């Protein structure tokens, strides 16, 4: 059986094409992304590839980290489909936009939080660059998977538990209420509210962290169950 290091090294050998991305309008995989996913499957049939708008993520059950690979392209259909892009006969059927390396942005933000010395990196899943195409992040369970947020009992208990913090949280509901309660339980009130104040600031780092905080981008470390932000690179559009 391969060691974790050997498995990671094999994933690094998968070809990352110059046009690596997916179709923005409907989330359809590109041929390049399908080929990438198939190569991952050939390495370990239990591993899966998920993606957001800016990166692909290899989730291997045998590893305690996930492998993130940045997209370098977004694909758009050249049609009048109700979105911003309308048909232009001078353009190809599929339009491509070059993307920044959002995995590198994420790794940089993690390091910058360490460098600033306020301890906010504890709220972020640790991300580390392997090379400029592969990054590792500690494995987490998403908030959406952990809780049945539609359950009436869950909603009632959460509403009751968060009530004591209502005044202090005004204008700072960056996260679902239960996640805020979990942050307080793990890190304490003072540390949690200091972090929420930071997210409410004009810092570029804070803006990146806070601009895309949906239920799949927050979660809990598999190693110890503590809450953290999983994807904090933001999403910048021209």
């Amino acid at each position: 059986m391969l060691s974790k290091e050997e498995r990671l090294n094999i994933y690094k050998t998968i070809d990352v094409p110059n046009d690596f991305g997916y179709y923005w309008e409907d989330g359809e995989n590109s041929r390049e992304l399908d080929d990438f996913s198939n190569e991952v499957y050939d390495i370990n049939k239990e591993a899966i590839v998920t993606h957001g708008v800016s990166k692909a993520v290899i989730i291997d059950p045998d590893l305690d980290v996930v492998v993130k690979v940045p997209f370098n392209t977004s694909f758009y259909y050249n049609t009048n489909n109700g979105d911003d892009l309308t048909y232009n006969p001078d353009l190809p059927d599929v339009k491509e936009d070059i993307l920044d390396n959002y995995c590198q942005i994420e790794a940089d933000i993690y390091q910058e939080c360490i460098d600033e010395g306020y301890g906010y990196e504890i709220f972020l899943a640790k991300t580390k660059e392997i090379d400029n195409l592969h990054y590792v992040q500690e494995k987490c369970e998403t908030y959406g998977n952990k809780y049945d947020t539609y359950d009436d009992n869950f909603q009632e208990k959460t509403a009751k538990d968060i009530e004591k913090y209502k005044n202090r949280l005004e204008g700072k509901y960056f996260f679902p209420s239960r996640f805020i309660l979990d942050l307080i339980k793990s890190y304490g009130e003072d540390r949690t509210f200091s972090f929420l104040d930071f997210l409410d600031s004009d810092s570029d780092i804070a803006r990146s962290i806070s601009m895309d905080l949906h239920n799949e981008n927050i979660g809990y470390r598999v190693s110890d169950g503590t809450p953290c932000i999983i994807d904090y690179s933001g999403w910048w559009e021209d």
Side-chain angles (χ1 to χ4, degrees):
M1 183 176 178
L2 294 174
S3 69
K4 294 178 180 180
E5 184 176 356
E6 289 171 330
R7 183 71 57 80
L8 280 173
N9 286 333
I10 291 176
Y11 285 135
K12 286 167 57 179
T13 67
I14 299 176
D15 179 57
V16 179
N18 291 330
D19 298 325
F20 186 49
Y22 82 111
Y23 288 88
W24 172 255
E25 288 92 343
D26 58 11
E28 179 185 346
N29 287 0
S30 63
R31 178 178 56 80
E32 291 81 6
L33 182 54
D34 279 338
D35 289 344
F36 180 87
S37 300
N38 289 336
E39 287 197 57
V40 169
Y41 179 79
D42 289 340
I43 294 169
N44 184 358
K45 291 178 172 50
E46 300 298 320
I48 61 172
V49 175
T50 65
H51 69 82
V53 298
S54 63
K55 55 186 79 79
V57 183
I58 302 171
I59 303 174
D60 185 319
D62 297 331
L63 297 178
D64 55 7
V65 295
V66 298
V67 181
K68 291 190 171 186
V69 181
F71 288 152
N72 50 46
T73 304
S74 277
F75 298 99
Y76 299 82
Y77 295 114
N78 182 19
T79 58
N80 186 357
N81 59 4
D83 293 323
D84 292 337
L85 183 67
T86 56
Y87 182 75
N88 184 337
D90 296 326
L91 291 177
D93 289 341
V94 175
K95 177 178 177 288
E96 300 179 15
D97 278 352
I98 303 302
L99 289 182
D100 293 330
N101 183 340
Y102 280 85
C103 290
Q104 187 62 57
I105 292 172
E106 198 162 70
D108 289 345
I109 287 174
Y110 187 85
Q111 186 58 49
E112 287 174 21
C113 283
I114 293 175
D115 294 343
E116 287 193 354
Y118 296 114
Y120 295 141
E121 69 276 3
I122 193 66
F123 296 94
L124 310 177
K126 183 178 181 179
T127 301
K128 179 181 177 182
E129 178 187 1
I130 301 177
D131 53 47
N132 65 351
L133 285 179
H134 303 86
Y135 300 75
V136 291
Q137 185 180 83
E138 54 189 328
K139 187 176 286 183
C140 300
E141 178 185 17
T142 66
Y143 178 83
N145 282 342
K146 183 176 178 65
Y147 290 117
D148 179 4
T149 58
Y150 295 100
D151 179 74
D152 289 341
N153 291 332
F154 171 85
Q155 293 178 1
E156 290 174 9
K157 185 176 188 321
T158 298
K160 180 180 179 181
D161 292 346
I162 201 69
E163 182 65 27
K164 65 184 290 187
Y165 302 109
K166 185 176 180 180
N167 292 336
R168 203 170 177 186
L169 281 169
E170 187 173 354
K172 298 174 184 175
Y173 279 95
F174 295 99
F175 307 103
S177 295
R178 177 52 56 186
F179 190 76
I180 294 173
L181 291 165
D182 290 339
L183 291 174
I184 293 171
K185 181 179 179 180
S186 292
Y187 309 119
E189 287 186 38
D190 291 344
R191 205 172 188 184
T192 296
F193 281 100
S194 175
F195 182 60
L196 294 178
D197 288 340
F198 168 67
L199 293 184
D200 197 37
S201 72
D202 293 330
S203 162
D204 286 341
I205 297 175
R207 288 182 62 208
S208 288
I209 294 172
S210 64
M211 68 167 49
D212 196 25
L213 294 177
H214 56 75
N215 287 0
E216 299 304 310
N217 281 351
I218 58 176
Y220 302 82
R221 295 178 178 92
V222 170
S223 60
D224 61 9
T226 55
C228 60
I229 303 172
I230 300 169
D231 188 328
Y232 44 89
S233 57
W235 178 247
W236 305 86
E237 292 187 274
D238 294 332

